[in-house]
Amino acid sequence: MYLSREEEKILQGESGEAKRLAMKILCALGDFFHAEKLIKIESSHVSGVSYKTGGDALIEVLENFVENKSKTVITTSLNPSGMDRTNWKEMGVKDDFASKQNKIIEMYQSMGIFDVCSCVPYELGNVAKIGDHISFSESSAVTFMNSFFGAHTNRESGLSALASAILGKTPQYGLHLPDNRIPEVAVEIDAKLTNPTDYGLVGYCIGKNFSSKIPILQKISSMDIQQTKSISAAMAASGSIPLFYINDYACEKFEEKDLEKIIIDQKHLEELKEDFAPTSPPDIVMIGCPHASVSTLKTISELLESPVSNRMKFWIFTSRPIRLVAESMGYVQKIERMGAKIFCDTCPVVCPMPSFDLALTDSIKAVHYLPTMSKIESAAGSLEDCIKIAMGRKLQ
Ligand code: F3S
């Protein structure tokens, strides 16, 4: 990879060990992917925060950065950690885990990274405009940023996103190049999608069928934020799709050509719903993968009109700023009065979840990861159905 004189000097250590380390990581990445050069980026989002997934190795890597006085030079946000930073005891988190988790977050914070810990940084100010180059490392957020904002990011690792944040640059390869952003397959949606979970099912199906190919979705109208969050998270989980287009709403223009195509019709959607439906009563209902928005907390506060059944838990995951806004509107108080819990800074997949038999969630991504990452069998339903079941009601 070509380096400018200034970049060469950084690699030689003339700007300090922290930048040399970051440059070494980006050069290795750039060389591996045959990038021609480094390009400037506007912002970064760093995953690899939970002590559950990173362990002591993560602490060692971060200590190296911190000891060398690393500082980020662009807006940089942080993915969910392994616990609610205030109410971790309520989640069953042990003291040792909590102190190591706090140490990880404090180290990131000392580098100038916002310590908000959320997988929806785009709801918290880390946004982009069409064509901006960024470096994001949460798969659902990568697909969201590329597809909703028209930003340009690869699926970064936590380490490469951190190195990019320290240098304000990333190697120019993959989705930073227009030729690699052209749709490769088409998906015709011939089904009525009525809620974000339906969009998640469609995303799951696309990821399963097309792995990492870029799809263009046809016969579908523009999506709102909740629908885009859900479909992005699902297609990045069942496959590794980093970008999708909606026919008439594409941020970028390209020549139409004959593409391999699948059709998702109503029958197919109903079969998917059936496959994901619970086959026994759940003992926990979980909402907030990706992290719940203020509008979701508002909906829950309105629909949760009777107490949570004493046969189950109802846990909701979001970020502290979103909880604060919802609190100022009275939504949090209403939800908690009904017996549900709202946890911040973490998520059901990266925290050490207590043992449950079956989780019901509105998130197809959570259903995908809970059995392997948290050893909890899981099923999906719409937000409305999840809330009814949490109240102990039967679905019609
Ligand atoms: Fe976010 Fe965790 Fe789901 S990071 S997208 S809540 S798996």
Side-chain angles (χ1 to χ4, degrees):
M1 183 170 66
Y2 164 81
L3 295 184
S4 67
R5 274 174 70 89
E6 193 196 334
E7 289 161 354
E8 279 284 1
K9 283 184 188 171
I10 292 173
L11 190 60
Q12 301 309 321
E14 289 187 25
S15 302
E17 180 58 13
K19 289 198 172 179
R20 190 194 70 78
L21 205 57
M23 185 60 86
K24 206 173 153 200
I25 292 166
L26 294 192
C27 284
L29 189 66
D31 287 341
F32 185 82
F33 286 105
H34 306 294
E36 271 187 25
K37 59 177 182 177
L38 292 171
I39 49 169
K40 189 174 165 296
I41 53 166
E42 306 299 326
S43 74
S44 178
H45 179 73
V46 176
S47 66
V49 185
S50 168
Y51 180 68
K52 170 180 162 180
T53 53
D56 292 330
L58 172 61
I59 294 182
E60 272 175 43
V61 169
L62 293 177
E63 275 172 346
N64 199 9
F65 277 102
V66 172
E67 279 161 17
N68 287 303
K69 306 202 172 7
S70 302
K71 290 282 174 214
T72 53
V73 294
I74 49 174
T75 298
T76 306
S77 46
L78 214 50
N79 223 34
S81 73
M83 62 182 200
D84 183 308
R85 294 184 71 193
T86 312
N87 298 316
W88 49 271
K89 283 202 167 140
E90 274 191 63
M91 304 184 78
V93 170
K94 304 271 182 299
D95 289 2
D96 183 53
F97 184 102
S99 83
K100 287 178 170 162
Q101 184 60 74
N102 277 328
K103 183 172 183 186
I104 290 169
I105 297 170
E106 281 157 18
M107 286 195 282
Y108 277 123
Q109 198 181 18
S110 76
M111 293 187 242
I113 302 178
F114 305 154
D115 68 333
V116 163
C117 301
S118 176
C119 52
V120 295
Y122 44 84
E123 292 190 19
L124 300 161
N126 194 351
V127 291
K129 56 185 191 310
I130 296 174
D132 275 356
H133 294 279
I134 58 174
S135 178
F136 269 46
S137 64
E138 153 58 36
S139 66
S140 66
V142 165
T143 310
F144 190 100
M145 296 301 285
N146 277 318
S147 313
F148 192 84
F149 288 111
H152 294 195
T153 177
N154 289 315
R155 275 170 65 120
E156 300 291 345
S157 68
L159 196 57
S160 64
L162 177 61
S164 289
I166 290 168
L167 292 173
K169 292 182 178 185
T170 193
Q172 187 187 39
Y173 72 94
L175 293 175
H176 293 288
L177 297 168
D179 283 356
N180 296 327
R181 300 179 63 86
I182 295 168
E184 298 166 286
V185 290
V187 181
E188 188 177 312
I189 312 292
D190 189 16
K192 197 160 181 267
L193 309 180
T194 53
N195 55 58
T197 309
D198 286 353
Y199 283 80
L201 289 168
V202 166
Y204 177 85
C205 179
I206 296 171
K208 272 267 174 227
N209 275 278
F210 292 130
S211 179
S212 61
K213 289 184 180 159
I214 298 170
I216 183 159
L217 278 49
Q218 300 171 334
K219 298 198 177 165
I220 188 169
S221 53
S222 69
M223 291 177 203
D224 66 22
I225 287 191
Q226 305 311 325
Q227 294 157 349
T228 312
K229 276 166 78 173
S230 183
I231 196 170
S232 297
M235 68 171 69
S238 62
S240 50
I241 294 174
L243 161 66
F244 69 90
Y245 294 101
I246 300 173
N247 46 356
D248 292 336
Y249 300 90
C251 298
E252 291 154 73
K253 294 291 162 216
F254 25 71
E255 261 177 53
E256 289 281 335
K257 52 179 184 177
D258 275 347
L259 299 171
E260 179 192 347
K261 180 173 181 169
I262 58 165
I263 299 174
I264 299 177
D265 59 17
Q266 196 64 38
K267 183 166 167 279
H268 195 174
L269 180 66
E270 296 307 325
E271 283 168 3
L272 284 166
K273 283 188 197 177
E274 199 62 36
D275 289 348
F276 278 82
T279 49
S280 57
D283 50 356
I284 181 164
V285 170
M286 286 193 289
I287 304 296
C289 171
H291 272 175
S293 313
V294 175
S295 62
T296 304
L297 295 177
K298 177 175 189 277
T299 304
I300 296 172
S301 76
E302 288 164 355
L303 298 182
L304 193 63
E305 52 197 15
S306 61
V308 173
S309 158
N310 54 19
R311 292 192 305 275
M312 76 180 78
K313 304 269 187 223
F314 186 9
W315 286 10
I316 301 153
F317 295 85
T318 189
S319 64
R320 269 176 293 140
I322 285 177
R323 184 191 159 106
L324 272 178
V325 175
E327 207 162 23
S328 75
M329 298 301 291
Y331 309 147
V332 169
Q333 296 84 330
K334 164 89 190 301
I335 291 169
E336 292 190 334
R337 258 200 318 277
M338 292 300 169
K341 296 267 177 227
I342 301 176
F343 292 116
C344 301
D345 320 301
T346 186
C347 97
V349 170
V350 300
C351 74
M353 286 288 289
S355 156
F356 290 102
D357 291 332
L358 181 71
L360 178 69
T361 168
D362 65 340
S363 162
I364 305 302
K365 176 174 176 176
V367 174
H368 184 79
Y369 282 118
L370 280 169
T372 47
M373 295 289 291
S374 299
K375 305 279 174 279
I376 301 174
E377 289 310 313
S378 52
S382 68
L383 176 63
E384 290 72 13
D385 284 353
C386 286
I387 295 169
K388 277 185 199 155
I389 290 199
M391 293 187 289
R393 295 187 188 165
K394 294 250 176 306
L395 300 180
Q396 272 118 33

